[in-house]
Amino acid sequence: MKLSTFGLAAGIALGALLAAGPAMAQVTLKIWSIDGVDRPGIADTFSKEFDEQNEDIVVEYRGIPFDDLVNETLRAFATGNAPDIVSFDNPDFAMFSSRGAMLDITDRIANSQVIKAENYFPGPLNSVTWDGKYFGIPKYTDTIGVFYNKDLFAKAGITEPPKTWEQVAEYAEKLTDPANNVYGVTFSARAGEEGTFQFLPLIQMSGGDYSNVNTEGAVAALELWKKIIDNGWASKDVLSLGQWDSTGTFNSGNAAMAISGPWEVDRMVEDAKFDWGVALLPTLTDGGTRSSALGGFDWGIMSTTKHPDEAFRALEYFASQDNRIFEEFGSIPPRSDIPLPETGIALKDAALKVFQEQLQYAQPRGPHPEWQKISKAIYDAMQKALTGQMPAKDALDEAQATIKGIVG
Amino acid sequence: MAKFFNSLRDGVGFDLILVGAAMLFLLALAGLPLVYNVLMSFQQVDMFTLGQLIRPFAGFTNYAAVVAQPEFWLVTRNTLIFVVGSMTGQFVLGFALALFFAQKFPGAATIRGLFLVSWVMPGLVVGAIWSWILAGDFGVLNSVLRGLGIIQSNIFWKSDPSFSIWAVIIANIWLGLAFNMLLLSVGLAAIPRDLYEAAELDGANAWQRFWTITLPMMRSTIGAVLSLGLIGTLQQFDLFPALTEGGPANTSNVAGYWSWQLSFQLYDFAKGATVSVMMFVLVLFASILYVRSTRHEVRG
């Protein structure tokens, strides 16, 4: 008797489980990004919310350190274990979309009520575009401009921030004060992506781009940078300093100008004990073509996903929350239709307005599937010229030859 | 059949099993990756075919492409400077310290132990610390050198092409010093004291004792220290990303870092594998020299 009661109970339980199964047919979405590894970020927060709001979808979020993300995803894709949604740094995106690893979502975007291509800044949108099709959507963005120390400017009798690179050199000379350990300007020309990030805009301003780097204007700009370093208006260590460390010297009053981006603003508000402002990245000639580097991450659905509809719904949810990413995570939304809210900190608000204006001129690195090799050719040439190992013209010609071999 | 099983339990078969297990272990953990690496250097490897074994055969094109890279000879030269510079510094200073602490004075053993601090520190941490010390404008080393009147203006250790490789070498010498000193101390301790006493009675001075007793008795230790030093130096990786990233313009790039850069930064896995195979051949050559030099060693 007892046994049969148990059997009955077990039978009912099993039946209930079987019956419930189809009703709760859950779709599992694997989402990977760098957020949430050390502190909460955009991807982990929004993924969790999306998971909670959708009964039929289970989200498995995985945070991967920045340096491992591309390698890990490559490996997972090669062995058939790729995630459904992944978020990459924008220059890495083309490598995946050009090789059919990302899902073409052009038609889905066209039919979407939430995601509209025209709302995005052209630069970030370009980084998810390959062959005229959309393979993802921008997640957030940033760019670079000139921070300048207004107190030091006033002391040197300079009233306006520099408009051209010639002026940067001219002001830097006036502002350099070796007795007080003050350099005129600081930037990052290091042997890595940051070096390309800061120098490529000058190539673009001269009418060139990543596949056409040895323009006359770029040669002149590189010679000007060399002059700034050779004359001691900038520290020789800009060749090994990253942007964060380089701007640190600005914050401590040891440099009068710094080229960097909005990620510096919060620290600067805390550390800088002087009045400062931000100006658009100078151009090569007065009123000349504007450009600046484009930073930030993109979202994409991997082509191996079994649930493209659900994955796209997730992207729609993420995009619908874009108006929160500035206040909650300090990142700039990649969209022109979202006004940045006032923070009440005057210096910060003024700075972010300039960066938002600068974003209209920001141009992506690439997009090209072999971006990393192109980038190395560019920063190697830049460093060869700046250290005097080669004339600027020859260094850029060599880079051009290398890049031609890659781009074809 | 029974004889076969008996031999497994207590005969020649047992020895073979032991050797076989070790060989299998070596093959699986060291041999296969090595073969895979060599194989990869002869194939066209693509970012997305990383998981496959069968890929288009490339012949020697990867090798030709690596040699044709504009930075190839620069990297080769840097690797030689880095290996010779680091090993010389680590060995000479390590030996000097080992001899110094072999003298009997209060606290000798304790202070010697403290030197190990440098050895237990991760390379990345050492790199970050030296990065501050070697900084051009506000670095400690420059201010010390200026204070001593050795230099007039700051040396930009990490950014000046003529110093960048030396910046990494200085940090690497500091990192490997304690290990060299420790091994050499052990070798020194193994030399019987009475040899020195007898020599002293015969009127040999300190230099003669060092030259005729210490050095010959230390031959095998020195051989081991140098070959381990070579391997350790070629393996050194952490200091490069922490200090110079191979820059400026590859003037501090060495084969090991270049191979990593090609594989995991530029995603050119075939070239990365090719560079590491070239390094392997170099180490193989060095180990053959080492084995030959110690073959006829007489042990006291």
Side-chain angles (χ1 to χ4, degrees), chain B residues 19-79:
Chain B
V19 174
M23 287 303 288
L24 209 67
F25 185 77
L26 257 180
L27 266 180
L29 291 178
L32 283 183
L34 193 72
V35 170
Y36 180 72
N37 203 23
V38 173
L39 192 70
M40 200 148 84
S41 72
F42 289 104
Q43 289 178 326
Q44 289 174 32
V45 186
D46 185 72
M47 298 166 291
F48 295 90
T49 58
L50 210 51
Q52 295 153 17
L53 203 60
I54 310 300
R55 286 173 288 229
F57 182 69
F60 279 94
T61 49
N62 287 329
Y63 288 84
V66 163
V67 176
Q69 293 274 105
E71 60 264 41
F72 176 78
W73 293 108
L74 184 61
V75 171
T76 309
R77 193 195 70 130
N78 290 340
T79 310

Side-chain angles (χ1 to χ4, degrees), chain A residues 3 9 13 16 21 31 71 85 98 129 151 160 165 169 173 214 226 259 282 285 327 330 334 356 382:
Chain A
L3 196 71
I31 302 180
N71 280 317
I85 296 176
S98 67
T129 309
D151 293 354
E160 290 280 308
W165 283 97
E173 183 179 11
N214 55 349
K226 181 168 162 38
I259 313 291
T285 53
E327 268 188 286
Q356 239 200 344
M382 175 187 75

Side-chain angles (χ1 to χ4, degrees), chain B residues 64-223:
Chain B
V66 163
V67 176
Q69 293 274 105
E71 60 264 41
F72 176 78
W73 293 108
L74 184 61
V75 171
T76 309
R77 193 195 70 130
N78 290 340
T79 310
L80 279 176
I81 295 177
F82 181 69
V83 166
V84 173
S86 298
M87 282 177 64
T88 313
Q90 287 176 357
F91 179 76
V92 172
L93 293 175
F95 208 170
L97 281 173
L99 285 170
F100 178 68
F101 286 112
Q103 313 301 312
K104 301 266 175 286
F105 61 88
T110 318
I111 301 172
R112 185 170 59 195
L114 283 178
F115 268 87
L116 284 182
V117 169
S118 69
W119 190 44
V120 297
M121 285 235 262
L124 273 175
V125 177
V126 174
I129 293 172
W130 276 97
S131 182
W132 294 327
I133 297 177
L134 296 170
D137 291 308
F138 311 105
V140 179
L141 187 62
N142 275 340
S143 96
V144 169
L145 291 178
R146 257 201 334 266
L148 293 173
I150 296 172
I151 55 170
Q152 298 304 316
S153 59
N154 286 336
I155 295 177
F156 288 84
W157 294 95
K158 295 183 292 171
S159 312
D160 191 323
S162 33
F163 289 102
S164 55
I165 188 73
W166 293 100
V168 194
I169 291 175
I170 290 171
N172 194 35
I173 290 175
W174 187 82
L175 188 64
L177 190 58
F179 180 66
N180 275 255
M181 182 195 76
L182 196 74
L183 282 188
L184 292 166
S185 289
V186 172
L188 280 179
I191 304 173
R193 293 290 111 192
D194 46 359
L195 278 180
Y196 288 106
E197 281 159 24
E200 222 166 337
L201 283 178
D202 288 340
N205 63 24
W207 174 247
Q208 285 167 331
R209 291 198 300 272
F210 174 75
W211 197 250
T212 54
I213 302 173
T214 312
L215 268 188
M217 294 295 287
M218 294 276 286
R219 199 177 143 176
S220 64
T221 311
I222 291 172

Side-chain angles (χ1 to χ4, degrees), chain A residues 44-99:
Chain A
D44 54 329
T45 310
F46 291 173
S47 296
K48 193 158 160 263
E49 290 170 4
F50 183 70
D51 184 19
E52 281 160 5
Q53 287 172 14
N54 290 278
E55 286 295 312
D56 57 332
I57 295 173
V58 177
V59 176
E60 282 177 15
Y61 178 77
R62 190 174 155 214
I64 299 172
F66 185 92
D67 291 338
D68 301 332
L69 180 67
V70 170
N71 280 317
E72 189 78 13
T73 313
L74 274 177
R75 214 166 20 231
F77 186 79
T79 55
N81 297 309
D84 299 282
I85 296 176
V86 66
S87 154
F88 291 120
D89 194 8
N90 71 73
D92 293 330
F93 204 86
M95 176 163 95
F96 287 86
S97 48
S98 67
R99 301 298 305 267

